């Protein structure tokens, strides 16, 4: 940096001080000089997006896949309002990112883009950090990074544009986060939990995303108990390849796995919130003793009231339970030995011969694509009617590489998150499943961004030429669904026009060409599955 340091340079340096090498964003008059310094003097990577909300979504996926705090930047006014949906998605997904948002100069309140940005951010549930002065810029950025990690949500730093060219003395400020696991349960609650587990004859170990770091200890406990292993949707892939793994627990379970869970007499849940889809509105937990382990006590009252609740770290607690089971010489249950986990985790195969002319059977196409897609991939999914079948049938290598962009129930967020994931894991292919409506809502805007960034991205569009969830509601009431139907252009042709490659699948035979295109891809690839809107599997939630 030069002898004279300006506020915008101090902000950029504060970001670099936190080890952040990638910013997603859209430049405007309130942040362009900060971005310029970050790239040209700091050597950082700036990913320019087409829509401000995309920057936040990419940062969310980057944070999940990389394990770092994600970072995005935008200018003021409408740029911030364009981020409302994405910020809410991040809040509900509990993803730590920082959004550096410019603000209208305090001296020009008549600016047409001037709004009360604090109130906009507040409505999303994200945190707000007002930049107090140019001299405090680095400290305020550091506070935002600290809050993002501790509070596990997006934090917006509000940067008045009239501060950017004020001179400052930059001081490196990084606030330590004390996140070493230290919650070890003890006392009556632990004794009750161990008693329930020790007396169980058919226990099941359930892990949510909050237990991802405890994988090895959970497996050790399951093997000691001879118990099946299952995950929530967001924990998908955690136990992939283990012989006791029966897949997703809840409404997305394979039929055989659902039956196994129904027979269980004890569920030991680690890092899971036990919401209505995991418990099938409580039906899967009826008649069972439920032990719930979570660091967030709010989960014990938000959804399901467990028989034993331990506010504790998942890994330390699993190890503690294992120790006392050994001390008491508790015999294993043998429950896992009564089932063929690999078999019960399988969903019924699709029907390639059952599709109407000009369409492909969705379940069959997913089974074929799961085999054709690269094994070490990131799996990203958008919202929409198609999503539950994708979640059930497509394999994910581990939870950090499985993106579910439905925390706010929106469509059109998936492709942006797929791009963020691709940049967080260089060299790792990303497969995104989205619907036709979702692609038009958000994917079309950013597909060329993936081309510009040279990402290894495979986009599969479930194109039923309709808003499927609304279409099926019209059909269920014997009403004309025409208002839910759309005559879209060819998505495969659009992908080619935007610099990628496109393949259309309108029959089972076309899946061979899709598999070949996946194997030989050299640019972002889009595969358009032509689906009959009256023959798409129903949502399982």
């Amino acid at each position: 940096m030069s002898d004279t340091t300006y506020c915008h340079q101090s902000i950029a340096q504060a970001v670099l001080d936190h080890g952040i090498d990638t910013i997603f964003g859209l430049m405007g008059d309130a942040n362009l000089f900060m971005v310029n310094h970050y790239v040209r003097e700091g050597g950082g990577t700036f990913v320019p997006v087409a829509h401000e909300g995309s920057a936040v979504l990419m940062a969310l996926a980057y944070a999940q896949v990389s394990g770092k705090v994600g970072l995005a930047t935008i200018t003021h006014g409408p740029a911030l309002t364009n981020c409302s949906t994405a910020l809410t998605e991040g809040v509900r997904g509990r993803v730590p990112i920082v959004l550096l948002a410019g603000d209208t100069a305090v001296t020009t309140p008549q600016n047409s883009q001037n709004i009360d940005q604090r109130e906009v951010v507040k409505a999303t549930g994200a945190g707000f950090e007002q930049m107090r002065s140019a001299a405090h810029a680095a400290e305020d950025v550091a506070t935002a990074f600290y809050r993002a990690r501790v509070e596990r949500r997006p934090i917006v730093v509000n940067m008045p544009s009239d501060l950017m060219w004020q001179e400052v003395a930059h001081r490196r400020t990084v606030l330590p986060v004390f996140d070493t696991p230290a919650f070890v349960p003890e006392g009556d609650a632990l004794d009750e939990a161990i008693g329930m587990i020790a007396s169980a004859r058919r226990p099941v170990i359930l892990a949510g995303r909050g237990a991802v770091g405890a994988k090895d200890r959970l497996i050790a406990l399951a093997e000691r108990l001879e118990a099946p292993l299952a995950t929530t949707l967001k924990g998908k892939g955690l136990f992939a390849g283990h012989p006791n793994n029966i897949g997703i627990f809840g409404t997305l379970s394979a039929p055989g796995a659902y039956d196994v869970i129904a027979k269980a007499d004890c569920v030991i849940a680690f890092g899971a919130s036990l919401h209505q889809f995991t418990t099938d509105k409580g039906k899967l937990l009826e008649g069972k003793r439920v032990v719930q382990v979570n660091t967030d006590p709010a989960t014990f009252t938000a959804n399901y009231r467990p028989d034993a609740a331990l506010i504790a770290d998942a890994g330390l607690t699993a190890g503690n339970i294992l120790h006392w089971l050994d001390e008491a010489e508790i015999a294993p249950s043998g429950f896992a030995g009564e089932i063929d986990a690999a078999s019960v985790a399988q969903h019924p195969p699709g029907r390639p011969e059952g599709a109407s002319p000009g369409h492909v059977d969705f379940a069959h196409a997913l089974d074929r694509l799961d085999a054709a897609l690269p094994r070490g991939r990131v799996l990203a999914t958008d919202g929409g009617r198609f999503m539950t079948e994708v979640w059930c049938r497509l394999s994910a290598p581990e939870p950090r590489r499985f993106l579910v962009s439905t925390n706010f129930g929106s469509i059109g967020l998936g492709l942006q998150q797929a791009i963020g994931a691709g940049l967080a894991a260089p060299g790792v292919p990303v497969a995104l499943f989205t619907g036709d409506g979702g692609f038009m809502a958000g994917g079309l805007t950013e597909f060329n961004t993936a081309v510009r960034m040279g990402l290894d991205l495979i986009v599969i569009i479930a194109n039923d030429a309709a808003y499927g969830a609304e279409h099926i509601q019209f059909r269920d009431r014997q009403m004309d669904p025409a208002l839910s139907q759309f005559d879209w252009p060819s998505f495969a042709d659009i992908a080619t026009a935007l610099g990628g490659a496109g393949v259309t699948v309108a029959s089972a035979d076309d899946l061979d060409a899709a598999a070949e295109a996946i194997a030989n891809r050299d640019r972002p690839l889009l595969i358009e599955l032509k689906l009959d809107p009256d023959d798409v599997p129903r949502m399982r939630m």
Side-chain angles (χ1 to χ4, degrees):
M1 292 167 59
S2 64
D3 293 338
T4 300
T5 301
Y6 298 103
C7 180
H8 69 267
Q9 296 172 320
S10 182
I11 295 168
Q13 186 58 48
V15 169
L16 294 166
D17 290 344
H18 284 79
I20 304 299
D21 57 10
T22 302
I23 297 180
F24 304 91
L26 195 59
M27 289 193 300
D29 57 357
N31 69 342
L32 77 166
F33 300 114
M34 181 274 292
V35 170
N36 182 73
H37 185 82
Y38 174 80
V39 173
R40 302 194 186 283
E41 301 299 327
T45 298
F46 176 64
V47 181
V49 302
H51 185 276
E52 291 90 353
S54 300
V56 174
L57 292 167
M58 292 178 193
L60 293 175
Y62 188 93
Q64 178 180 322
V65 174
S66 69
K68 302 177 181 179
V69 175
L71 183 65
T73 185
I74 58 168
T75 187
H76 56 127
L80 181 62
T81 59
N82 280 345
C83 295
S84 295
T85 296
L87 285 171
T88 306
E89 174 73 15
V91 169
R92 297 195 178 184
R94 304 193 69 191
V95 183
I97 71 163
V98 170
L99 173 62
L100 300 175
D103 195 8
T104 307
V106 176
T107 54
T108 58
Q110 293 81 21
N111 187 304
S112 62
Q113 295 183 326
N114 187 28
I115 57 172
D116 187 338
Q117 299 205 155
R118 181 187 295 271
E119 290 302 311
V120 173
V121 173
K122 182 179 176 181
T124 69
F128 187 86
E129 191 68 32
Q130 177 64 49
M131 189 163 286
R132 295 166 290 170
S133 69
H136 289 93
E139 183 179 337
D140 293 338
V141 170
T143 300
F145 274 94
Y146 175 84
R147 290 184 61 192
R149 290 183 62 186
V150 172
E151 298 173 23
R152 294 179 60 192
R153 62 171 174 160
I155 305 295
V156 178
V157 180
N158 206 56
M159 310 182 302
S161 60
D162 46 352
L163 300 182
M164 294 301 106
W165 284 95
Q166 293 185 18
E167 293 186 19
V168 300
H170 177 80
R171 290 187 300 175
R172 184 181 187 276
T173 306
V174 178
L175 303 176
V177 176
F178 306 103
D179 54 3
T180 301
F183 296 99
V184 182
E186 57 183 16
D188 293 342
L190 177 62
D191 292 341
E192 291 177 9
I194 292 176
M196 294 175 192
I197 296 168
S199 62
R201 294 294 173 263
R202 297 182 301 279
V204 173
I205 303 289
L206 169 62
R209 182 165 288 175
V212 168
K215 173 184 175 180
D216 292 341
R217 293 187 180 185
L218 296 184
I219 288 176
L221 178 59
E223 291 176 347
R224 172 64 176 78
L225 289 170
E226 295 183 8
L229 288 159
T231 70
T232 63
L233 172 63
K234 290 187 177 181
K236 182 180 173 70
L238 183 62
F239 303 125
H242 193 278
N244 290 13
N245 180 32
I246 61 172
I248 298 176
F249 187 115
T251 56
L252 299 175
S253 295
Y258 193 98
D259 291 342
V260 169
I261 297 166
K263 294 175 182 176
D265 61 2
C266 181
V267 175
I268 314 157
F270 295 89
S273 64
L274 299 181
H275 59 57
Q276 61 176 336
F277 303 124
T278 298
T279 66
D280 196 1
K281 297 181 179 178
K283 288 190 293 185
L284 273 177
L285 301 183
E286 290 177 359
K288 299 174 176 57
R289 309 304 294 272
V290 177
V291 177
Q292 188 176 6
V293 181
N294 207 302
T295 55
D296 182 3
T299 59
F300 303 141
T301 58
N303 299 300
Y304 183 88
R305 187 177 184 277
D307 297 288
L310 302 177
I311 306 172
D313 174 76
L316 295 176
T317 304
N320 202 6
I321 293 171
L322 182 60
H323 168 79
W324 289 112
L325 291 175
D326 287 343
E327 283 289 304
E329 299 182 351
I330 301 299
S333 71
F335 188 32
E338 300 173 11
I339 62 174
D340 181 351
S343 176
V344 301
Q346 294 298 311
H347 290 268
R351 302 174 295 104
E353 72 290 343
S356 58
H359 302 108
V360 65
D361 178 76
F362 189 41
H364 174 67
L366 294 181
D367 291 342
R368 286 287 309 277
L369 290 168
D370 189 38
L373 289 167
R375 290 292 90 189
R377 62 189 176 239
V378 172
L379 175 62
T381 61
D382 203 345
R385 173 187 175 187
F386 71 91
M387 64 183 174
T388 53
E389 202 67 24
V390 175
W391 294 340
C392 291
R393 293 181 181 274
L394 269 291
S395 56
E398 49 103 358
R400 279 190 178 173
R401 293 190 176 184
F402 175 51
L403 303 175
V404 181
S405 60
T406 57
N407 293 292
F408 191 30
S410 177
I411 65 171
L413 312 184
L415 193 138
Q416 302 92 311
Q417 294 210 351
I419 292 173
L423 289 162
V428 177
V430 180
L432 165 71
F433 284 81
T434 182
D436 46 334
F439 185 79
M440 289 297 285
L444 182 63
T445 309
E446 301 295 350
F447 186 83
N448 181 254
T449 302
V451 173
R452 285 187 283 110
M453 300 306 296
L455 297 183
D456 187 359
L457 175 66
I458 305 162
V459 178
I460 297 95
I461 296 183
N463 181 12
D464 61 357
Y467 281 152
E470 290 70 29
H471 182 277
I472 198 64
Q473 290 188 62
F474 280 128
R475 285 296 195 198
D476 284 348
R477 294 182 180 274
Q478 290 77 51
M479 298 172 67
D480 183 355
L483 290 175
S484 67
Q485 295 175 313
F486 294 83
D487 185 14
W488 304 118
S490 166
F491 292 117
D493 289 348
I494 288 174
T496 302
L498 291 173
V503 176
T504 300
V505 176
S507 69
D509 292 339
D510 291 340
L511 288 167
D512 292 334
E516 183 177 352
I518 291 171
N520 298 321
R521 68 193 185 281
D522 60 358
R523 65 195 69 185
L525 170 66
L526 186 150
I527 298 171
E528 180 180 0
L529 303 179
K530 292 285 192 177
L531 305 177
D532 184 340
D534 293 317
D535 191 33
V536 177
R538 287 177 177 269
M539 292 180 65
R540 306 189 192 188
M541 301 180 74

